Amino acid sequence: EAGLVAVVEGGRVEDLDPPYSAYPAVPLELALYPENAVYALGIRQVQPYSHWLFERWLTWSTGDYYAIYFNDLVDAKQSGIVYEDKPRYGLFVPEESMPEGEVTLYGRVLRAGSFQESTSPLQTILVKTDRPGGIDQDPGSAWHSRLIMSIEGFPENSPINQENSAGGVWCLIEPYPYIRKNDKIEFSWDGVIVTHIVSPEEAAGSGPVRIWVSKSVIDQGGLHGKLTLRFRVQDVAENISGEKYQYSQPYFLQSELDPSLSPAPFFLI
């Protein structure tokens, strides 16, 4: 490819394509709140191992050494020797060897015979294998016990009608384990989805995450009888809350929203 290459200390040439995850990573350039990392790897990319690919490099030959580095720029995390001409070469890194959080990554090739050295530019990636909400502490229940919500001003099973919901309502999400900026909270108002992206301030705060539920959303739910409200969370690496049960315990309200419902009769005695 035409273009400039960087020659770094010791005659090493920075002309190698960065190694990349064989299982597609999650790009982060479109995250609502800026991320330092260029992409994220979650549970499905890392467990039980991550599979890394190097595109075939220039002046390839049998016996070339190739390696991948995470954070430690001296000691390779995994390496291999090439013995046949292929379009790309793979390395497997077990999950227990994979660092968590923001990780500095680069690839390196040492050519057989000439010992000419090539590296890829340093990249910052995000590795996250904690699910939002953490491990469910009550797996016997058909919901995630560490995802907790309420509706401000509406105790569970209380009635909701045109009058008391006219200005919309607030859903309060209690801080859950591993809450992080760019978590996507998917709140379901009786099947109508409201999405909220957690801000850095909300993730760092001690109070609940407040999600506005507009009157138009309320009116799309059930107009009479039981309303079922719940939420789940997906983090920026696309890990979903709960290994088995993704959603919080249902929160019920009694809907009296049907505008055709007559007000309760008033009797004069």
Side-chain angles (χ1 to χ4, degrees):
E1 291 182 359
L4 297 175
V5 297
V7 179
V8 297
E9 186 180 353
R12 181 186 297 179
V13 182
E14 196 178 84
D15 63 350
L16 195 66
D17 291 332
Y20 59 94
S21 172
Y23 196 104
V26 182
L28 296 181
E29 66 267 17
L30 297 180
L32 181 59
Y33 300 101
E35 295 279 357
N36 295 324
V38 291
Y39 61 79
L41 301 180
I43 291 168
R44 58 184 163 179
Q45 290 95 346
V46 174
Q47 295 179 354
Y49 53 77
S50 54
H51 183 194
W52 296 89
L53 297 176
F54 288 67
E55 291 298 304
R56 185 185 185 281
W57 44 90
L58 296 172
T59 62
W60 172 97
S61 67
T62 299
D64 285 355
Y65 168 89
Y66 65 110
I68 193 167
Y69 297 76
F70 300 115
N71 291 336
D72 185 335
L73 304 185
V74 177
D75 294 321
K77 186 62 72 174
Q78 196 65 273
S79 61
I81 304 287
V82 301
Y83 296 107
E84 52 185 304
D85 195 350
K86 296 180 179 179
R88 60 193 55 86
Y89 300 94
L91 292 173
F92 294 91
V93 178
E95 62 178 289
E96 56 269 19
S97 298
M98 196 72 189
E100 288 267 336
E102 290 183 0
V103 175
T104 302
L105 156 74
Y106 84 106
R108 174 173 170 257
V109 165
L110 191 64
R111 288 170 180 81
S114 70
F115 299 107
Q116 181 189 346
E117 194 173 6
S118 290
T119 62
S120 65
L122 292 177
Q123 281 188 316
T124 299
I125 66 170
L126 177 67
V127 179
K128 187 176 187 298
T129 59
D130 293 317
R131 292 182 184 274
I135 296 171
D136 191 348
Q137 294 177 317
D138 184 13
S141 301
W143 55 78
H144 197 310
S145 63
R146 302 177 87 177
L147 301 181
I148 299 168
M149 60 154 285
S150 61
I151 301 297
E152 189 171 63
F154 290 84
E156 193 165 4
N157 293 311
S158 61
I160 184 168
N161 53 44
Q162 290 291 337
E163 186 176 301
N164 63 15
S165 67
V169 301
W170 287 100
C171 171
L172 308 183
I173 306 290
E174 294 302 316
Y176 47 84
Y178 305 115
I179 187 172
R180 188 185 180 279
K181 73 175 181 180
N182 287 319
D183 281 357
K184 180 173 74 174
I185 297 175
E186 191 179 277
F187 170 67
S188 172
W189 178 279
D190 207 43
V192 184
I193 302 301
V194 177
T195 299
H196 177 85
I197 306 298
V198 174
S199 72
E201 294 75 22
E202 288 169 331
S206 58
V209 176
R210 299 173 61 85
I211 300 177
W212 177 246
V213 184
S214 68
K215 187 66 167 66
S216 65
V217 168
I218 293 170
D219 287 342
Q220 290 175 62
L223 298 182
H224 52 83
K226 182 185 290 184
L227 298 178
T228 303
L229 319 179
R230 54 172 66 122
F231 76 97
R232 66 176 178 177
V233 188
Q234 183 181 57
D235 68 21
V236 77
E238 296 185 352
N239 300 313
I240 294 276
S241 50
E243 290 184 67
K244 185 173 182 182
Y245 298 111
Q246 300 177 6
Y247 283 91
S248 62
Q249 182 175 358
Y251 190 94
F252 298 114
L253 295 177
Q254 296 301 320
S255 173
E256 300 171 0
L257 290 160
D258 189 339
S260 67
L261 288 176
S262 302
F266 178 71
F267 297 101
L268 289 174
I269 298 177

